[in-house]
Amino acid sequence: RKGIKSIVLERSESVRSEGAAFGIQTNGWLALHQLGVADKLRLNSLQIHQIRDVLIEKGIKRRESVGPASYGEVRGVLRNDLVRALAHALPLGTLRLGCHILSVKLDETTSFPIVHVKNREAIKAKVLIGCDGSNSVVSRFLGINPTKDLGSRAVRGFTNYPDDHGFRQEFIRIKMDNVVSGRLPITNKLVFWFVVLLNCPQDSSFLRNQADIARLTLASVREFSEEWKEMVKNCDMDSLYTNRLRYRAPWDVLSGKFRRGTVTVAGDSMHLMGPFIGQGCSAALEDGVVLARCLWRKLSLGQDGMNNVSHSSSRMQIEEAIDEYIRERRGRLVGLSTQTYLTGSLIKASSPVTKLLLVVLLMILFRDQIGHTRYDCGRL
């Protein structure tokens, strides 16, 4: 839409992704509106009215709190629906499937990036934006510190209720001993849920197939209600997906060098967060809008276009645009990363002193616990 010719390199052989869903909050819907896909995604997702947090210790409910989910709109969206909606909005020929990036280097003559993909093809670009996840090749090229292990394992899945699940339109999260489990209705018949095993050993050799993941998950929720256990037991086995939770430390987001030449990062490659305040997806959508706007402003595409200026001049303009993008995003992302880090630490904490300290820090730094949903990334 800004006139910048782009190519999207997708590692998968098809427009699909692992079984998961996102809770997209108000700021994420503002970004989706700018990208032109918000109305389409709303058709298959219920609006979520509140968040319910429950703490159970030794079989006794110790605390239950209910509050607004966001300042505005929150909906659960299937990851595949989001990926497909964004892919279908692209011009024909933009998306290249089966492109697994192996390495990045800078052209010795022009200093523009050259991307090497698995089929040994070398792709020359004027701008490279790495959105390749927690184990990002582009982040390593930039010299950003590796992501850190949270020490937890998450299992995600879907359960379909042919006759309507009857659950409230709320996100509910229950912490019981070493397990945190959440439920998010997507439609009147489909529910997304997750189980996080806190302080989980790294060894995953015992998880060889979907049946192993299902057994681990059922064992993890054995103390939960019958309704909860039935939800896990009756899940779509093919949808089960498990991974170690990782994050980029707030101090790395604060100090990270997110540009080298005309190469930068966005999404999880830049600011991977734990799932504790549900902003990973929405923040990535914001990145896209802000970066496109910054590039367009600097390159004056309405007049000359990126391809009609000299190499040195266009490279300098691109570098200035990326620097603007990083400046605009860094403050926002440091705040989100810090709140996520402190919230996750509070959920895992066992010492009363540590819990009190973390609560005080959150109260001082983030008195409005859902204030992050007010953010508007602006017009594309």
Side-chain angles (χ1 to χ4, degrees), residues 101 128-133 136 138-139 263-270:
I101 297 177
L128 174 62
I129 305 160
C131 310
D132 47 338
S136 169
V138 182
S139 291
V263 180
T264 190
V265 281
D268 282 352
S269 303
M270 187 183 198

Side-chain angles (χ1 to χ4, degrees), residues 37-172:
V37 298
D39 288 342
K40 182 178 180 180
L41 290 169
R42 286 187 180 102
L43 295 175
N44 296 313
S45 64
L46 293 172
Q47 186 153 358
I48 303 301
H49 301 306
Q50 62 185 22
I51 295 178
R52 184 181 302 272
D53 263 313
V54 181
L55 173 64
I56 299 175
E57 293 178 339
K58 298 180 180 178
I60 300 171
K61 184 190 291 186
R62 300 293 185 185
R63 186 174 67 249
E64 179 171 348
S65 61
V66 179
S70 176
Y71 287 113
E73 181 178 12
V74 180
R75 294 174 189 269
V77 173
L78 298 182
R79 183 171 183 161
N80 281 343
D81 285 353
L82 177 59
V83 170
R84 291 191 181 106
L86 292 171
H88 292 163
L90 297 173
L92 286 175
T94 303
L95 186 61
R96 293 191 188 180
L97 299 170
C99 289
H100 187 172
I101 297 177
L102 296 177
S103 64
V104 180
K105 70 175 185 179
L106 298 182
D107 187 291
E108 294 180 359
T109 304
T110 66
S111 295
F112 284 127
I114 301 174
V115 183
H116 294 273
V117 296
K118 201 167 187 178
N119 63 4
R120 298 185 180 178
E121 180 185 4
I123 301 172
K124 293 185 177 181
K126 286 199 171 179
V127 185
L128 174 62
I129 305 160
C131 310
D132 47 338
S134 62
N135 191 27
S136 169
V137 173
V138 182
S139 291
R140 289 201 297 273
F141 169 78
L142 293 176
I144 302 171
N145 287 338
T147 57
K148 302 177 186 297
D149 192 329
L150 270 168
S152 306
R153 174 172 291 279
V155 180
R156 302 172 177 88
F158 294 100
T159 304
N160 189 60
Y161 294 79
D163 300 320
D164 194 323
H165 52 66
F167 298 138
R168 294 174 180 169
Q169 289 176 226
E170 67 177 8
F171 170 60
I172 179 170

Side-chain angles (χ1 to χ4, degrees), residues 4 73 79 86 111 249 290 362 365 376:
I4 304 173
E73 181 178 12
R79 183 171 183 161
L86 292 171
S111 295
V290 174
L362 282 165
L365 298 174
D376 186 348

Side-chain angles (χ1 to χ4, degrees), residues 98-342:
C99 289
H100 187 172
I101 297 177
L102 296 177
S103 64
V104 180
K105 70 175 185 179
L106 298 182
D107 187 291
E108 294 180 359
T109 304
T110 66
S111 295
F112 284 127
I114 301 174
V115 183
H116 294 273
V117 296
K118 201 167 187 178
N119 63 4
R120 298 185 180 178
E121 180 185 4
I123 301 172
K124 293 185 177 181
K126 286 199 171 179
V127 185
L128 174 62
I129 305 160
C131 310
D132 47 338
S134 62
N135 191 27
S136 169
V137 173
V138 182
S139 291
R140 289 201 297 273
F141 169 78
L142 293 176
I144 302 171
N145 287 338
T147 57
K148 302 177 186 297
D149 192 329
L150 270 168
S152 306
R153 174 172 291 279
V155 180
R156 302 172 177 88
F158 294 100
T159 304
N160 189 60
Y161 294 79
D163 300 320
D164 194 323
H165 52 66
F167 298 138
R168 294 174 180 169
Q169 289 176 226
E170 67 177 8
F171 170 60
I172 179 170
R173 179 172 57 193
I174 300 173
K175 181 176 188 287
M176 186 181 297
D177 300 324
N178 196 42
V179 178
V180 177
S181 189
R183 183 180 70 206
L184 179 68
I186 305 296
T187 68
N188 288 319
K189 295 185 177 182
L190 185 66
V191 170
F192 169 69
W193 54 265
F194 64 83
V195 174
V196 177
L197 309 177
L198 305 173
N199 306 312
C200 182
Q202 284 203 0
D203 180 34
S204 61
S205 59
F206 62 95
L207 297 174
R208 291 179 292 273
N209 51 46
Q210 302 299 91
D212 289 342
I213 298 172
R215 279 193 289 271
L216 170 68
T217 312
L218 270 173
S220 302
V221 298
R222 62 183 178 274
E223 300 300 326
F224 283 62
S225 68
E226 288 301 318
E227 175 186 84
W228 209 272
K229 287 186 284 188
E230 285 297 310
M231 178 183 70
V232 173
K233 183 179 179 181
N234 297 329
C235 73
D236 174 2
M237 289 286 286
D238 290 336
S239 74
L240 287 178
Y241 172 69
T242 182
N243 69 322
R244 301 284 305 177
L245 292 181
R246 304 188 65 82
Y247 71 102
R248 194 171 299 290
W251 44 93
D252 288 336
V253 177
L254 177 65
S255 62
K257 190 174 182 297
F258 294 128
R259 179 182 70 78
R260 179 178 171 188
T262 61
V263 180
T264 190
V265 281
D268 282 352
S269 303
M270 187 183 198
H271 49 74
L272 181 68
M273 308 176 208
F276 306 110
I277 65 170
Q279 277 288 2
C281 174
S282 295
L285 293 167
E286 294 172 5
D287 293 342
V289 173
V290 174
L291 181 53
R293 184 172 65 231
C294 289
L295 285 169
W296 178 71
R297 280 176 179 169
K298 280 291 178 182
L299 296 172
S300 302
L301 289 168
Q303 301 170 27
D304 300 314
M306 184 159 56
N307 296 316
N308 297 324
V309 292
S310 68
H311 283 317
S312 59
S313 177
S314 65
R315 188 181 70 246
M316 187 166 58
Q317 288 173 314
I318 294 165
E319 289 174 353
E320 289 174 357
I322 293 173
D323 286 341
E324 278 193 10
Y325 155 71
I326 293 168
R327 279 195 297 272
E328 183 170 341
R329 295 303 292 152
R330 197 186 297 272
R332 164 73 169 161
L333 296 171
V334 168
L336 290 176
S337 298
T338 302
Q339 187 175 358
T340 302
Y341 178 77
L342 292 175

